[in-house]
Amino acid sequence: MSPRPPTTPVRAPHRFDQAALERHLARHVPGAVPIRAVSQFAAGQSNPTYLIEGPERRFVLRKKPPGTLLPSAHLVEREYRIQAALAGTDVPVPQVHHLCEDTSIIGTAFYVMDHVEGAVDQDPAWPALGRADRGAVYRSMADVLARLHRVDWQARGLADFGREGNYIARQIRRWSGQYDASRTDEIPEMDSLLAWLPDHIPDDDETAIVHGDYRPGNLIVHAHEPRVAAVLDWELSTLGHPLSDLAHNCLAFSIPRGASALPGLGGADFEALGLPGEEAHRDAYCERAGRGEIAEWRFYMAFAFFRMAAICQGVYARGLQGNASAPNAHEYGDRARVLAELGWKKAAGRG
C-alpha cells in the first residue's frame, strides 16, 4: 500500500495557540488531550489540515486559513455538516466530533474528526499499489461515488444543504465570479469557456449529494485491502448534478502524465497498469448507479475542467497574497492555464 500522507512541522502562516486548543478540546473531544504533538499535512491547498496526537488516539483538525478569503470559500462548517449527515450510510467518511465557530480559540473556525488509517496518493496511477489492487481501488472508487449519489438527501436532513435543480448554471455563475475575483495573467481559453458553457448546458437536470472534488487525492485507501476506506475534503459538497462529480473524477484520464497540472493519466498504458480507461471507468459508475448512456458527456468534461481551472486560479491568487495552505501554491497559475486549455479542447470537440 502507499505510505501515509506526509506531515511537516506546522508552517509559519498556519501556527496557532496550541494551549488554547488543548483547553477547548478538553471540554469537547474526549480522548484528545493532553496533546502530545501537532503536525500539518503536507498536501492540501484550501483548508489547513493538522494531525493531532492524543494520548491514545489520533485526530485530524481542519480549519479555515488566515487572511482575506473569497466569498463562500473554505466552508469547514459545511464539511462538518455533510460528514455528520453521512454517518451511518454506506458512504465511508471519518467520524466527526466537534465544530468550533468561535474564532477566538485558534483564529479561525475549525472542526475535529477521527484519523483514518490508510494511504492517500495524489497520483491517480497509484504507483505504490500492485496491478490487481489498482483495478480494485478504481472499482471501489466508482462504487463509492455511486453510493453517494444514491443517498436520500432529504431523509438525511440536507434539504437546505443546496438548491434543487439548475446546479450547472449556478456553478458556472459562481466559478465565473470566483475566477474574475482572482484573475492575474490572462488565459484566453478560460475566457472562451466563460462564453461557451452557459449556451450549451444540457436539458437533463438531476439533484443528488455531490462531493465536488472527488479524486484519488481525497480518498483514503484501506491499510490492508484495495478499497476506499474514507472520503475526505467535503468543502465543495452540496446538492447538485451527479454527472458533475463523475466528470471531475474523470479529469485525470485527459491530463497528460507529467503535465504541469494536477497528476494525470493521459498517454498511460492502462492495460499494463491495471487501470480502466475513461470509458470503462465511466461505465463502471453507470452500472453501479443504474444509469444508461450519458448524453452531452463533452459538456460535462468541459465544465469540470473550467471549474477546476477556476479553483486552481484561486489557489494561485492566495499564494500571491501569502496565505495559501501549501508551499507550492505558486505552481497553480500554470495548472489553471493547462486545465483551461484542456477544457476548451473538450468544448471544441478536439479532446
Side-chain angles (χ1 to χ4, degrees):
M1 289 292 176
S2 306
R4 291 176 179 172
T7 59
T8 67
V10 178
R11 295 187 285 275
H14 303 131
R15 291 175 187 156
F16 54 78
D17 186 337
Q18 184 172 320
L21 174 66
E22 192 166 43
R23 290 192 298 270
H24 185 81
L25 295 186
R27 299 192 300 272
H28 298 284
V29 184
V33 298
I35 295 175
R36 294 189 304 154
V38 177
S39 54
Q40 186 170 3
F41 286 99
Q45 292 291 347
S46 184
N47 294 321
T49 307
Y50 308 81
L51 180 63
I52 308 294
E53 304 266 0
E56 297 180 355
R57 298 173 55 192
R58 291 187 176 99
F59 297 87
V60 172
L61 182 149
R62 292 260 293 175
K63 69 185 290 289
K64 294 186 180 185
T68 302
L69 306 178
L70 291 173
S72 69
H74 311 283
L75 299 179
V76 297
E77 303 89 345
R78 290 181 66 82
E79 291 189 39
Y80 178 88
R81 182 183 176 191
I82 185 64
Q83 288 178 237
L86 289 172
T89 70
D90 60 358
V91 179
V93 293
Q95 180 181 352
V96 292
H97 294 286
H98 176 62
L99 170 67
C100 177
E101 298 177 271
D102 182 351
T103 59
S104 70
I105 306 300
I106 61 171
T108 63
F110 68 91
Y111 73 97
V112 178
M113 61 184 164
D114 277 348
H115 175 263
V116 177
E117 288 291 342
V120 176
D121 203 325
Q122 301 295 327
D123 189 335
W126 269 301
L129 297 180
R131 183 179 182 278
D133 285 347
R134 291 187 195 117
V137 168
Y138 261 80
R139 290 190 293 274
S140 178
M141 180 165 62
D143 180 53
V144 168
L145 186 60
R147 286 189 228 165
L148 173 64
H149 295 159
R150 289 197 302 265
V151 170
D152 185 337
W153 45 273
Q154 292 176 317
R156 306 307 297 186
L158 295 171
D160 63 343
F161 194 63
R163 292 165 56 189
E164 186 174 1
N166 297 315
Y167 171 77
I168 298 294
R170 288 185 282 108
Q171 282 283 292
I172 292 171
R173 288 194 298 271
R174 175 189 176 184
W175 291 108
S176 295
Q178 297 282 41
Y179 176 72
D180 285 336
S182 58
R183 276 181 184 266
T184 51
D185 300 333
E186 292 300 313
I187 303 177
E189 292 82 2
M190 197 64 171
D191 291 330
S192 295
L193 285 168
L194 287 168
W196 184 86
L197 287 167
D199 293 333
H200 292 82
I201 299 173
D203 291 333
D204 71 303
D205 198 7
E206 304 174 39
T207 300
I209 299 171
V210 293
H211 178 273
D213 193 13
Y214 192 77
R215 57 184 173 84
N218 286 332
L219 306 176
I220 297 178
V221 174
H222 192 278
H224 306 295
E225 302 173 22
R227 63 177 175 85
V228 175
V231 183
L232 306 176
D233 195 356
W234 292 85
E235 179 197 351
L236 297 174
S237 61
T238 188
L239 301 181
H241 200 301
L243 292 183
S244 68
D245 256 0
L246 179 61
H248 184 85
N249 190 228
C250 288
L251 289 179
F253 292 107
S254 296
I255 297 172
R257 196 132 179 86
S260 177
L262 299 177
L265 292 170
D269 186 335
F270 296 112
E271 176 65 25
L273 290 171
L275 299 176
E278 179 185 319
E279 184 176 355
H281 182 60
R282 190 177 73 223
D283 289 347
Y285 164 85
C286 289
E287 179 182 355
R288 288 158 176 78
R291 177 185 290 277
E293 184 75 16
I294 299 175
E296 304 294 342
W297 180 243
R298 175 181 65 137
F299 171 88
Y300 290 107
M301 289 300 296
F303 166 73
F305 272 115
F306 155 78
R307 181 174 167 277
M308 199 64 212
I311 291 171
C312 288
Q313 182 63 28
V315 172
Y316 178 58
R318 289 197 303 277
L320 295 179
Q321 296 167 1
N323 67 340
S325 299
N328 65 332
H330 64 281
E331 299 174 5
Y332 274 63
D334 287 339
R335 296 182 181 197
R337 183 178 299 278
V338 170
L339 291 166
E341 290 171 352
L342 290 169
W344 182 239
K345 284 183 179 179
K346 291 288 185 184
R350 293 184 283 105

